[in-house]
Amino acid sequence: MKKIISLTALVLATMNLSAATYYCDPASTNKRGGDSWEKALSPEIIRQTLAKMSDGDTIFIKGGTVFMASSGSRWDIIRTMTFIGGFDPAATGKVTAMPTYPSATPTIFSGDLDKNGKASKGDAVALFRVDYSGDDAKVCTIQGIDMAYTYNDVQGASDDIDSYLEECSAIRLICGTTYIKNCHIYEHVTPNNKGSQCVTNVGAKLHMMDCEVHDGIALSRGGLLRTRNYFIGGDKENYQLPSTVLERCCFYNGSALGLNADDPSMSLDARIAAKDPALANGTYGGGLQISSGALYMINSSVLSNKNYSNGGGISGNVAGFFIISSTIGNNEGIRDDHDQASSPKNCCYGSSLRMEADGIIKIANSYVTDAKDNTKKQYAPI
């Protein structure tokens, strides 16, 4: 259902007196101005000056595609800021009303540097990084901005304290609060890393509303979303927990099974038939891996995600899952199909939902279903 968002409610009410508004047009080459659509700045100028902007600033972005300038470029956000996309490319003057979502003219941030319409080697490794380390009072709002096609094939060390802050995702959040609204996040691939290439939450308060996230691929631990602690000062005993709220969101077609090393284009069915040994790396959360903090799902769905074992839909070892009026179904751990002689030590429990250790699961008015025969442990819904 389309929603008309009040400008006063979402923007003017949250702007302080010293905050500025900048206009951005994917088709613009302007390096100066930015105070109206006629003087809209180019996306690259905005990206280069984000660190110089002030808390409370707002960026309005016309519909169109914003390509990253290089594989390593991204929008680094360190201020309290609001980014709103989906404005009509023909708009003039200044903003007097917000777009209706989904926008007829979406704003798309793309890492597709070779413009082949898919995530592939050489594409940008990230689009956004919201880094509020050390200042948990800061807030970022990203609304009406689609995010597509990043590819990160650098071998990461996702569980190494010294490196986890530097890892890349399409959007990576570190501390503070981030609201992601009316966004479509899709086709992000990291064949060698443990953790989502779509959305990663490191010690932040994340609230996603009216979003779709799909077709992400990771080596393991969340094809679409991963959460983890923020270690203060690199101290593993001193950390900040994330929290994640999903409201009217859909996460689907995620995979924590990586890619075939010799032929990245090989289909999953072909990899199973060939008994690709790399499949066994795909543990924990084909869709979502909630490694820390709590997950709150309201009117949302997690559908048709796959991994090797341990929660094809959602996996966690956390404070709790709180699931209300939601659907988690048709998720699958493929370990039995793979039927490999040397299996990992972990079991395959929970085709759709898996909780480890002493976590709490509270479910109300929801469906949690399986993908296959639920008489087998690996296919049991929970």
Side-chain angles (χ1 to χ4, degrees), residues 140-152:
C140 179
T141 298
I142 298 175
Q143 181 168 8
I145 295 177
D146 296 348
M147 306 174 205
Y149 309 129
T150 64
Y151 191 96
N152 179 16

Side-chain angles (χ1 to χ4, degrees), residues 220-223 256 283-289 306-307 309-315:
S220 65
R221 305 192 185 199
T283 53
Y284 307 112
L288 283 60
Q289 168 62 17
K306 292 185 178 182
N307 70 345
S309 64
N310 297 294
I314 308 175
S315 178

Side-chain angles (χ1 to χ4, degrees), residues 124-159:
V125 300
L127 301 175
F128 288 98
R129 176 187 172 98
V130 184
D131 190 346
Y132 293 150
S133 302
D135 192 348
D136 217 35
K138 291 189 180 294
V139 179
C140 179
T141 298
I142 298 175
Q143 181 168 8
I145 295 177
D146 296 348
M147 306 174 205
Y149 309 129
T150 64
Y151 191 96
N152 179 16
D153 64 348
V154 176
Q155 181 68 49
S158 292
D159 297 307

Side-chain angles (χ1 to χ4, degrees), residues 26 30 42 62 75 79 106 109 116 136 154-155 163 188 204 241 254-255 266 272 279 311 377:
N30 290 341
S42 74
K62 281 188 173 183
W75 284 39
R79 312 289 184 199
F109 275 57
N116 66 353
D136 217 35
V154 176
Q155 181 68 49
S163 67
H188 302 284
L241 290 169
S255 166
M266 183 182 288
I272 292 172
L279 290 170
K377 290 187 293 186

Side-chain angles (χ1 to χ4, degrees), residues 42-187:
S42 74
E44 182 59 14
I45 290 298
I46 294 287
R47 186 189 73 81
Q48 293 175 10
T49 56
L50 283 171
K52 299 178 182 179
M53 294 183 180
S54 301
D55 285 333
D57 285 356
T58 296
I59 313 292
F60 293 136
I61 310 173
K62 281 188 173 183
T65 301
V66 177
F67 289 100
M68 296 298 102
S70 67
S71 178
S73 67
R74 65 189 179 204
W75 284 39
D76 285 296
I77 302 163
I78 60 172
R79 312 289 184 199
T80 288
M81 297 186 72
T82 298
F83 301 81
I84 301 179
F87 289 94
D88 187 345
T92 58
K94 297 191 176 185
V95 169
T96 58
M98 299 297 291
T100 299
Y101 297 111
S103 172
T105 54
T107 299
I108 303 170
F109 275 57
S110 175
D112 187 16
L113 300 185
D114 57 10
K115 300 183 181 178
N116 66 353
K118 61 182 180 181
S120 53
K121 188 176 177 65
D123 284 344
V125 300
L127 301 175
F128 288 98
R129 176 187 172 98
V130 184
D131 190 346
Y132 293 150
S133 302
D135 192 348
D136 217 35
K138 291 189 180 294
V139 179
C140 179
T141 298
I142 298 175
Q143 181 168 8
I145 295 177
D146 296 348
M147 306 174 205
Y149 309 129
T150 64
Y151 191 96
N152 179 16
D153 64 348
V154 176
Q155 181 68 49
S158 292
D159 297 307
D160 182 350
I161 291 177
D162 295 329
S163 67
Y164 78 103
L165 288 178
E166 298 306 320
E167 293 162 13
C168 297
S169 299
I171 180 165
R172 189 171 189 83
L173 316 171
I174 304 172
C175 301
T177 299
T178 296
Y179 298 96
I180 302 177
K181 308 176 183 181
N182 307 104
C183 293
H184 185 194
I185 303 171
Y186 57 97
E187 293 198 38

Side-chain angles (χ1 to χ4, degrees), residues 159-237:
D159 297 307
D160 182 350
I161 291 177
D162 295 329
S163 67
Y164 78 103
L165 288 178
E166 298 306 320
E167 293 162 13
C168 297
S169 299
I171 180 165
R172 189 171 189 83
L173 316 171
I174 304 172
C175 301
T177 299
T178 296
Y179 298 96
I180 302 177
K181 308 176 183 181
N182 307 104
C183 293
H184 185 194
I185 303 171
Y186 57 97
E187 293 198 38
H188 302 284
V189 177
T190 181
N192 300 316
N193 285 305
K194 300 175 182 178
S196 171
Q197 180 66 12
C198 292
V199 183
T200 302
N201 177 2
V202 183
K205 301 177 185 69
L206 168 62
H207 191 162
M208 299 183 70
M209 290 167 274
D210 302 295
C211 294
E212 288 186 36
V213 184
H214 61 91
D215 290 286
I217 297 174
L219 177 69
S220 65
R221 305 192 185 199
L224 302 176
L225 182 149
R226 186 183 184 189
T227 71
R228 52 182 312 164
N229 294 331
Y230 172 72
F231 297 109
I232 300 169
D235 181 359
K236 213 167 188 177
E237 302 302 319

